Amino acid sequence: MTQDVRRPAAHGDRDLPAGRRGRKAPRKRRTGRIVLLVLLVLVLAAGGGLYWMYASIDGNIKAVDITKELGDDRPAKVPTTGQNLLVLGSDSRAGANAALDGAAVSGARSDTALVVHIPEGRTRAVAVSIPRDTLVTRPECTRKGGGTAPSAQRVMFNSVYSQYGPACVVKTVEKMSGVRLDHYMEIDFAGFKDLVDAIGGVTVDVERPIKDTHSGLDLAAGPQRLDGTQSLAFVRTRYGVGDGSDLGRIGNQQKFLTALLTEVKRQDLLGSPAKTYEIADSATKALTTDAELASLTALGDYARSLNGVDPANMETIMLPVAYDKKDPNRVVAHEPAAKQLWTAIREDTDIPESAKKSPATGG
């Protein structure tokens, strides 16, 4: 770190993770399990066998046709029944999201990025979390306004989405990992607001009091029942948690998604078709997928193919990273651990313990 000073990040440097060094993060996170279940179970299985009744919400699901932009220069598809899915949790910095920042910022960021690997047999899953401030080599990508942008080195992973869109993120992940991605899913955090209200609120166990003057969020420690507006503030706040870095916000997002899934599983949604519809309607409005999955029928079929995945056998591993020698506010893939991790996923083999060690997290 350049300084050991605890301060909220200014709008101009909001991507600089203040106070990261010296903080230990759990080596095995559960974010992937929760995000995957929210997308594949909450959005679909919350309606159970009734999803086919709701053709009217098909139009809610936004589609991105990334196939043409990806072209033919991709990793070879492994001839197994395993699946690799890129899941992004996005923060559009617009609408409800922007309100939490005083509408002083714009654009979009992929705040959560997970490569979810479902091995052949589909009874377990592994999700590799890519830190947002990882420096990567971005391949040649299509510009949003047309034309192409040449390949660039030492690009912050989080910036690829905002500058070049989903297809470029997929290309970047495939380039850095050598893993062929079968599908793409994205969920906007702001979309959770209506979803939470449809459910009737979510109870979150707040470890420490939170008082964020930017969003107006004021929570005491202990179990708190949050409505949609409070939930959105909770997953977006950074100024009222810890040292004001993204680490506290990521922890809140993990906690919230866990609580959300628990609440959905607790309720008898099959016993209330009207409520099921309301929840599915809210959830799908926050969802973007590749063109192949952009319908309830396709999503339902895909979800059913994953029915054998036991949540108890799902694990998230952070990409092994080390602090960059030139810029201590950034991290780089730690070798040879990162290579071992991606090789295990490509070859559908068990991930060695050595591939789970990350100097940047003290592991």
Side-chain angles (χ1 to χ4, degrees):
M1 290 287 297
T2 54
Q3 295 183 7
D4 187 19
V5 177
R6 306 304 189 202
R7 62 175 178 82
H11 294 306
D13 66 353
R14 58 184 297 109
D15 290 325
L16 298 178
R20 286 195 53 173
R21 184 167 293 197
R23 298 175 64 94
K24 292 187 178 182
R27 285 165 51 187
K28 296 181 180 180
R29 298 172 185 263
R30 298 296 177 185
T31 316
R33 180 176 82 183
I34 302 306
V35 173
L36 181 62
L37 288 176
V38 167
L39 290 173
L40 297 184
V41 180
L42 175 60
V43 174
L44 305 170
L50 302 177
Y51 81 92
W52 54 268
M53 296 174 59
Y54 305 136
S56 62
I57 66 176
D58 255 4
N60 290 347
I61 304 171
K62 295 175 285 294
V64 288
D65 188 359
I66 61 178
T67 303
K68 182 178 179 180
E69 290 188 39
L70 292 179
D72 297 324
D73 185 18
R74 303 180 64 189
K77 186 172 178 60
V78 179
T80 70
T81 60
Q83 287 280 297
N84 296 306
L85 172 71
L86 179 63
V87 178
L88 295 186
S90 67
D91 176 356
S92 68
R93 308 279 173 89
N97 281 330
L100 294 176
D101 289 306
V105 294
S106 59
R109 297 290 187 272
S110 53
D111 279 349
T112 303
L114 299 159
V115 176
V116 181
H117 175 61
I118 303 151
E120 187 170 17
R122 305 194 183 191
T123 59
R124 60 189 179 90
V126 176
V128 178
S129 175
I130 304 175
R132 52 180 283 168
D133 53 348
T134 304
L135 295 178
V136 299
T137 296
R138 176 186 53 73
E140 180 180 279
C141 286
T142 301
R143 299 181 188 275
K144 290 184 176 180
T148 59
S151 175
Q153 297 181 342
R154 293 180 59 81
V155 172
M156 195 171 80
F157 179 75
N158 188 45
S159 69
V160 177
Y161 175 89
S162 61
Q163 295 178 4
Y164 301 102
C168 191
V169 179
V170 173
K171 288 185 70 173
T172 300
V173 172
E174 288 191 339
K175 188 72 173 179
M176 67 186 289
S177 66
V179 173
R180 173 77 171 238
L181 297 172
D182 298 290
H183 292 294
Y184 169 85
M185 288 188 180
E186 175 188 333
I187 191 163
D188 188 342
F189 285 123
F192 278 122
K193 179 179 180 296
D194 292 338
L195 177 60
V196 172
D197 286 334
I199 293 171
V202 173
T203 299
V204 176
D205 188 9
V206 181
E207 292 184 5
R208 298 179 181 83
I210 298 177
K211 190 174 183 63
D212 184 354
T213 57
H214 290 77
S215 66
L217 185 65
D218 189 355
L219 299 175
Q224 303 290 337
R225 188 74 174 178
L226 308 182
D227 62 17
T229 300
Q230 291 172 317
S231 295
L232 180 58
F234 182 74
V235 300
R236 287 285 292 112
T237 187
R238 61 188 291 175
Y239 304 106
V241 182
D243 60 9
S245 75
D246 274 328
L247 294 179
R249 179 166 66 177
I250 291 171
N252 279 358
Q253 291 170 358
Q254 294 174 357
K255 184 184 294 290
F256 175 78
L257 290 173
T258 302
L260 176 63
L261 178 61
T262 300
E263 184 66 31
V264 170
K265 292 176 68 174
R266 185 186 67 81
Q267 297 189 21
D268 181 19
L269 298 181
L270 291 180
S272 177
K275 190 168 188 178
T276 298
Y277 175 87
E278 185 180 6
I279 291 173
D281 185 47
S282 299
T284 51
K285 284 178 179 177
L287 185 66
T288 300
T289 73
D290 60 80
E292 188 177 341
L293 290 181
S295 73
L296 285 181
T297 300
L299 282 170
D301 290 343
Y302 189 66
R304 284 198 302 276
S305 76
L306 304 180
N307 279 346
V309 177
D310 184 350
N313 294 330
M314 301 181 74
E315 178 186 30
T316 295
I317 303 169
M318 178 179 286
L319 173 70
V321 292
Y323 286 105
D324 181 57
K325 294 181 179 179
K326 295 182 179 179
D327 184 351
N329 288 313
R330 301 288 180 258
V331 295
V332 294
H334 176 60
E335 301 297 354
K339 183 177 180 180
Q340 293 172 347
L341 173 63
W342 295 128
T343 298
I345 289 179
R346 285 197 305 271
E347 298 180 354
D348 217 4
T349 59
D350 291 338
I351 298 172
E353 288 300 316
S354 59
K356 303 176 185 180
K357 297 183 182 298
S358 183
T361 62

